[in-house]
C-alpha cells in the first residue's frame, strides 16, 4: 500500500515514515516546507536505506495535488500538514484558518475525485479544552479552544466526521495527540522549531545546550502535586507507531474512529526537568514565571481505547523521551542547519 503523508517533512511526519517503512508500507511525501526542510527527508532516507518520493507542493494547490494522485497510486493519506504554533495563531488567525482549513478541504476533495477514501488526521488533545474528565477518555466532551490553532483542529474533526457520515465508504481516523517529545534513537532527526520554542521540551534542550539562558516555568500555583502544569508526554516514535496501528484499522474498514494517543501518565514541568537532568547528567537552569495565558493545570489521557481496538500502546517512558530529545539536540545544536 502507498500512503501519502502531507506535512511529512515535519517533526511527527518524518518519524512516521520510518515506522511505515518498517511495517512494509510505501510512502509519498508532500510538503511546502513552510515549517521544515528537505534535509529531514534526506536523513530519513538514509535511516531506512531507500529513496523517499518527495513533492514540494502546497496542499492547497489543487493542480499540484491532482498531479500527485495521478502520478502515484495512493491508498490512504495521513494528513499532518498544518500550521501549529498556538501563540502565532492568536496573532495571525486568518493565516491559520486559511491554511489549515483550506489544505484539508483541497486534500479531501482531491482524494474524493481520485477515489481515495481513507484518511488519518492529526488532531490534538487541545480539542478537549479544559478537560471535563481526567484521565481523558474519547467520550470526554470537547471543550472550548482558546486559540485559532485549536479551533481549526476541532472544526476539522467535525468536517471529516461529516464527510464520513455522508459517504460511509470513507474511513476516517482522528488521532488526538497528547504531548509528543523525544526523537529517533539515531539522533539524526528530531524537532526543529523556528526561533524561540513555544513548547517545553525544545526549550529545555536549547537551555541545556546553552542557546537559552534559563527555562521559564510557567506557574507553580496550579492545583497539581508540585504546582506546575501536568501533561501526558509521549515519545514521538510511539506516536509514529500509532499511525501504523490506525492504518491497520483503516484496512479493516473502521468507518469513523477517534483515538487518544498518549501514555496515560501525567508528568509535571518539574518532573520533566528533573528527569532530563538526571538521565542526561546536564543542568537545566530554570526560574518560576507567571502562568502562560490559555494554559490548563492538568491534561493526560486514558489510552485504553487505542490499546483495545488498535493493539497499540506507548512503549517508552519519560527517561527515554528525555534521553532521545537530548541526543538529537546535542548532535544537532542548530537543528537541521
Ligand atoms: P511540523 O510543523 O513539524 O509539521 C507540519 C508540516 O506541515 C511542516 O513540515 C510544514 O512545512 C507542513 N505544512 C504546513 N502547511 C502546509 C501546506 N499548506 N501545504 C504543505 N505542507 C504544509 O508539525 P508536527 O509537530 O510534525 O505536527 C504535525 C501535525 O500534528 C500538525 O497538524 C500539528 O498541528 C499536529 N499536532 C502536533 C502536535 C505537537 O505537539 N507537535 C500536537 C498535536 C497535534
Ligand atoms: C501546547 C498548546 C497545545 C498544543 C500542544 C502541542 C498552548 C496553550 N497549548 O500544549 O494547543 O496542541 O502545545 O504542540 O500553547 N511550559 C513551561 N515553560 C515553557 C514551555 C512550557 O513551563 O517554556 C509548561 C507549560 O505551561 C505546560 C507544559 O510546560 O504546563 C507543556 O507546555 P507545552 O509543551 O507548550 O504544551 P501544552 O501547553 O500542553
Amino acid at each position: 500500500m502507498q500512503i501519502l503523508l502531507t506535512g511529512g517533512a515535519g517533526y511527527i511526519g518524518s518519524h512516521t515514515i520510518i515506522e511505515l517503512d518498517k511495517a512494509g508500507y510505501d510512502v509519498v511525501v508532500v510538503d511546502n516546507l513552510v515549517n521544515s526542510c528537505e534535509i529531514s527527508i534526506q536523513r530519513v532516507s538514509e535511516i531506512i536505506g531507500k529513496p523517499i518520493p518527495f513533492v514540494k507542493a502546497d496542499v492547497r494547490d489543487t493542480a499540484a495535488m491532482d498531479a500527485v494522485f495521478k502520478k502515484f497510486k495512493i491508498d490512504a493519506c495521513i494528513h499532518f500538514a498544518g500550521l501549529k504554533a498556538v501563540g502565532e495563531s492568536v496573532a495571525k488567525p486568518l493565516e491559520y484558518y486559511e491554511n489549515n482549513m483550506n489544505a484539508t478541504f483541497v486534500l479531501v476533495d482531491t482524494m474524493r475525485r481520485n477515489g481515495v477514501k481513507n484518511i488519518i488526521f492529526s488532531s490534538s488533545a487541545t480539542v478537549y479544552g479544559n478537560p471535563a474528565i481526567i484521565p481523558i477518555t474519547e467520550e470526554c466532551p470537547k471543550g472550548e479552544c482558546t486559540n485559532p490553532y485549536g479551533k481549526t483542529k476541532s472544526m476539522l474533526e467535525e468536517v471529516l466526521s461529516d464527510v464520513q457520515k455522508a459517504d460511509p465508504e470513507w474511513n476516517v481516523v482522528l488521532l488526538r495527540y497528547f504531548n509528543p517529545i523525544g526523537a529517533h534513537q539515531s539522533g539524526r532527526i528530531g524537532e526543529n522549531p523556528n526561533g524561540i520554542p513555544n513548547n517545553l521540551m525544545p526549550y529545555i534542550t536549547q537551555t541545556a545546550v546553552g542557546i537559552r539562558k534559563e527555562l521559564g516555568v510557567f506557574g507553580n500555583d496550579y492545583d497539581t502535586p508540585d504546582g506546575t502544569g501536568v501533561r501526558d508526554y509521549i515519545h514521538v516514535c510511539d506516536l509514529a507507531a500509532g499511525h501504523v496501528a490506525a492504518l491497520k484499522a483503516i484496512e479493516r474498514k473502521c468507518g469513523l474512529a477517534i483515538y487518544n494517543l498518549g501514555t496515560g501518565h501525567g508528568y509535571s514541568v518539574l518532573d520533566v526537568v528533573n528527569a532530563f537532568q538526571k538521565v542526561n547528567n546536564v543542568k537545566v537552569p530554570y526560574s518560576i514565571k507567571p502562568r502562560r495565558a490559555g494554559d490548563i493545570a492538568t491534561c493526560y489521557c486514558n489510552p485504553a481505547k487505542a490499546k483495545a481496538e488498535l493493539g497499540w500502546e506507548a512503549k517508552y517512558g519519560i527517561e527515554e523521551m528525555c534521553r532521545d530529545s537530548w541526543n538529537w539536540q546535542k548532535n544537532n545544536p542548530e537543528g537541521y542547519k
Side-chain angles (χ1 to χ4, degrees), residues 25-139:
Y25 294 97
D26 294 320
V27 304
V28 184
V29 173
V30 171
D31 200 303
N32 64 0
L33 305 180
V34 67
N35 195 41
S36 53
C37 57
E38 220 179 315
I39 303 171
S40 67
I41 298 290
Q42 285 161 17
R43 294 205 182 167
V44 173
S45 166
E46 285 160 27
I47 292 168
I48 67 174
K50 59 175 87 146
I52 296 163
F54 172 68
V55 180
K56 181 171 183 246
D58 195 304
V59 181
R60 291 168 296 174
D61 180 341
T62 306
M65 293 305 288
D66 263 323
V68 169
F69 278 80
K70 293 279 169 300
K71 181 164 178 196
F72 300 94
K73 205 210 140 301
I74 309 287
D75 296 291
C77 300
I78 308 182
H79 182 35
F80 296 106
L83 299 174
K84 64 160 185 176
V86 171
E88 189 182 59
S89 80
V90 175
K92 298 181 176 173
L94 261 187
E95 284 79 357
Y96 269 67
Y97 286 119
E98 199 281 321
N99 186 76
N100 292 3
M101 303 304 293
N102 278 339
T104 309
F105 297 155
V106 171
L107 175 67
V108 173
D109 183 47
T110 311
M111 290 173 69
R112 180 172 60 172
R113 281 185 290 98
N114 288 277
V116 180
K117 296 185 177 178
N118 298 316
I119 188 167
I120 297 174
F121 176 62
S122 297
S123 189
S124 167
T126 199
V127 301
Y128 293 111
N130 197 352
I133 306 168
I134 292 283
I136 305 170
T137 63
E138 291 80 356
E139 277 72 47

Side-chain angles (χ1 to χ4, degrees), residues 229-306:
V230 168
R231 296 290 184 275
D232 189 335
Y233 297 94
I234 173 167
H235 197 295
V236 67
C237 294
D238 275 332
L239 189 66
H243 294 76
V244 174
L247 269 180
K248 307 267 185 224
I250 283 186
E251 288 178 58
R252 296 192 297 268
K253 306 255 175 280
C254 60
L256 173 65
I258 304 179
Y259 297 103
N260 287 335
L261 294 187
T263 64
H265 300 288
Y267 290 101
S268 74
V269 177
L270 294 182
D271 288 336
V272 178
V273 171
N274 291 333
F276 188 92
Q277 297 191 122
K278 189 164 167 231
V279 171
N280 298 314
N281 199 23
V282 283
K283 281 258 160 289
V284 180
Y286 68 85
S287 66
I288 306 297
K289 300 278 189 233
R291 291 181 178 196
R292 180 172 66 179
D295 272 357
I296 53 175
T298 303
C299 179
Y300 61 92
C301 78
N302 176 343
K305 187 181 178 203

